[in-house]
Amino acid sequence: MLPLTALFIAAIVLTGCGGTPEDEGGLSGSFRIIGSNTVEPLSVVWVEEFMKMHPNVRIAVSGPGSGVGIAALIDGTTEVAQASREMKSKEVDQAKTKGVNPYEIQVATDALAVVVHPSNPVSELAIAQLSAIFTNHITNWKEVGGNDAPIVVISRDTNSGTHVFFKEHVVQMKGLPTEDKSLEYGSGVLFLPSTKEGVDEVARNPNAIFYPGLAYVTDEVQPLAIKKTADDLGVQPSVETALAGSYPIARPLLYYTDGEPTGVIKAFIDYCLSANGQAKVTDVGYVPLE
Amino acid sequence: MLRQRVSAVAAEASLERGLRRRWRLGEKFIEGWIFLAGLLAIVVLLGIVGLLIKEGLPIFSHTPPWEFLFGTKWYPVSDPPTFGIMSFFVATIMVTIVATAIAVPVGVGCAAYLAEVAPLRIRETVKPIIELLAGIPSVVMGFIGLLLLSPLIQSVFNLNTGLCGLTAGIMLSLMSLPIIVSVSEDALSAIPDEFRQAAYALGATKWEVVRHVSIPAALSGIAAAIMLGVGRAIGETMTVLMVAGGALAVPISPTEPMMPMTAAIASGIGNAVRGGLQYQALFAIGLLLFIMTLAVNLIADRVMERQKRKFAR
């Protein structure tokens, strides 16, 4: 549903922006941004603003998932791929054999919140506990200090960069002494096609747990404080804690282009990285670059 | 006088020849057109089968068919990836069984009412309305399942989550219902009225007529209707993607979250680079799905043919 909404917004913006006076230099052209469901809300805001400044530029945004965007860049069906994880070396190799040179630009940072139902008494979890929950080794909330109720574990599907990032950094505990690359999501985990659907299910289900990007957290769900190890203090996800580096599950949000961007794409990315563009990042709920 | 008549007859004959020639030209043209259209359908079908085989079969050099079909681990983006589709296969079967178990009694009952009991006016208003149900987009059915049915199922069965095979099956039964009602009703209406009248003459009640005469006589048509409904349930994608829950474990009961084959393809294909292992694996699932629906449709076709022959006398 989300990618569709984004296209819709882009279409409305397309029709709704008749020649604003700030149009300098008559920049024109069109390109596509396809990929991460997480980066999408940010891209949509930037695209909206950019097209207001340059009425002759057409940009279409859709967010089916990072993997989709990267596959599209490799297959040459998009000019810009938005991603919430880095390209794997295997994907870079695939791109090279097809004559595409992926060029990476970090446009913002995201903190991944772990959310539960507001009625859930659990308020903080360590990464190792999260790993055990998402591998189905812990299946009851009472094992982590909650009610005697089964845990309904929700994840994004394999299209999602968030799926891969969370697997590497939380399920497999990357960077911790307990890191184990053989760990996978448990077979009882529900894989949902969009982040919004996951948040909605947590809002309805008192026993559910899910990991949306910070921008998707609503008042109907409760974000948990995350402890890097059992001895650390729990840290709530927020723009401040992610900027300070104290929140453990933060990740870069990226744009990939084929080679260094030129022309209208360069102008757009320069805008995203400018002070004005970065000011929008906080509005959407992500963490701007320093 | 006689000569005149002869010449008139001759003129008529030559006119007729001309007409016939023009007819033949037109007929040839239309014949060719229909032939081409028929050919196109076959070419497209063969093309799709060819594509599925070409893109899907190479996966078996990475994962042997046995492991592919009976493996329970599906980790396409891991390193190294594993492809086992047992859970998807079982989920598809389970969701289809739930859908059929609900849609068949309701659908056949509804068809029997419309064909045997309802007055003409009711039949002619209700049947199109039921057929309209087939026109509801599957994504809308998904929404309804997500917002209305899944919370209901969760509280009624006291489940951890309402996103499960049962919810998906009920939504699918609603989607295959119009096909089952429509085709079974046609089959029931096609039974010669003498059958019923003979039964009434022997003193049978309405229920006995429906139960022992009409339904048995139309059985092959009803069976075909059921098969078409099953085919619809197996192939439906959007609804099951949204409400079936999408868990990778091999489901043991329909109240568990599960991921049918269509949902697995839809949720993975965007991510798969053309020609990659995951791409091939998804095409192989598509191939298996195609074989399943083809088998169901072939059975439906055979059964329907038998029904037609039965009353051709």
Side-chain angles (χ1 to χ4, degrees), chain A residues 137-173:
Chain A
H137 286 106
I138 292 180
T139 54
N140 195 307
W141 281 109
K142 73 177 177 202
E143 293 172 67
V144 290
N147 302 327
D148 182 8
I151 305 179
V152 177
V153 187
I154 300 173
S155 161
R156 277 293 313 278
D157 58 21
T158 54
N159 282 340
S160 162
T162 318
H163 168 107
V164 176
F165 179 87
F166 195 83
K167 184 173 92 186
E168 285 173 359
H169 289 79
V170 178
V171 174
Q172 302 180 343
M173 298 176 278

Side-chain angles (χ1 to χ4, degrees), chain A residues 167-250:
Chain A
K167 184 173 92 186
E168 285 173 359
H169 289 79
V170 178
V171 174
Q172 302 180 343
M173 298 176 278
K174 191 176 187 174
L176 290 176
T178 46
E179 176 171 356
D180 181 354
K181 281 214 155 134
S182 66
L183 291 172
E184 296 279 356
Y185 287 104
S187 59
V189 174
L190 276 69
F191 291 100
L192 299 186
S194 85
T195 306
K196 176 90 175 35
E197 210 187 309
V199 174
D200 287 350
E201 178 63 15
V202 174
R204 274 195 304 265
N205 193 325
N207 301 322
I209 184 167
F210 179 55
Y211 55 81
L214 205 48
Y216 282 97
V217 177
T218 63
D219 295 338
E220 293 171 302
V221 294
Q222 175 66 44
L224 296 177
I226 303 299
K227 301 186 286 186
K228 200 160 184 166
T229 65
D231 307 325
D232 288 322
L233 279 176
V235 182
Q236 277 285 340
S238 71
V239 172
E240 292 73 34
T241 54
L243 258 185
S246 57
Y247 186 71
I249 324 174

Side-chain angles (χ1 to χ4, degrees), chain B residues 205-269:
Chain B
T205 62
K206 193 150 223 165
W207 163 247
E208 283 165 344
V209 172
V210 172
R211 168 76 185 75
H212 294 291
V213 177
S214 300
I215 289 186
L219 201 58
S220 47
I222 293 172
I226 292 169
M227 283 299 161
L228 289 174
V230 169
R232 173 100 164 97
I234 292 178
E236 176 48 42
T237 305
M238 198 62 211
T239 310
V240 295
L241 182 64
M242 290 170 82
V243 301
L248 294 180
V250 179
I252 303 167
S253 113
T255 52
E256 285 172 20
M258 56 184 79
M259 188 182 278
M261 293 157 78
T262 48
I265 297 176
S267 74
I269 195 69

Side-chain angles (χ1 to χ4, degrees), chain A residues 5-151:
Chain A
T5 342
L7 278 177
F8 236 80
I9 292 169
I12 290 165
V13 172
L14 282 178
T15 50
C17 59
T20 23
E22 308 117 277
D23 184 21
E24 336 116 39
L27 201 54
S28 69
S30 68
F31 62 92
R32 291 161 289 187
I33 304 176
I34 299 178
S36 169
N37 198 220
T38 308
V39 189
E40 185 194 347
L42 183 57
S43 294
V44 167
V45 170
W46 277 338
V47 162
E48 219 169 285
E49 288 297 314
F50 191 74
M51 292 201 297
K52 227 180 267 171
M53 287 188 279
H54 307 284
N56 293 324
V57 176
R58 302 275 180 270
I59 308 172
V61 183
S62 70
S66 300
V68 181
I70 290 167
L73 187 74
I74 295 172
D75 289 337
T77 51
T78 186
E79 285 73 29
V80 179
Q82 49 186 357
S84 57
R85 61 167 171 89
E86 281 163 14
M87 267 177 92
K88 298 174 201 159
S89 57
K90 216 163 102 197
E91 288 168 335
V92 175
D93 293 344
Q94 278 170 337
K96 293 253 164 76
T97 57
K98 295 212 175 187
V100 174
N101 279 307
Y103 182 85
E104 179 184 297
I105 306 139
Q106 181 172 0
V107 292
T109 305
D110 177 32
L112 219 52
V114 178
V115 298
V116 295
H117 195 265
S119 71
N120 195 320
V122 174
S123 63
E124 57 174 28
L125 287 174
I127 301 257
Q129 286 174 311
L130 283 174
S131 171
I133 288 173
F134 278 85
T135 49
N136 292 149
H137 286 106
I138 292 180
T139 54
N140 195 307
W141 281 109
K142 73 177 177 202
E143 293 172 67
V144 290
N147 302 327
D148 182 8
I151 305 179

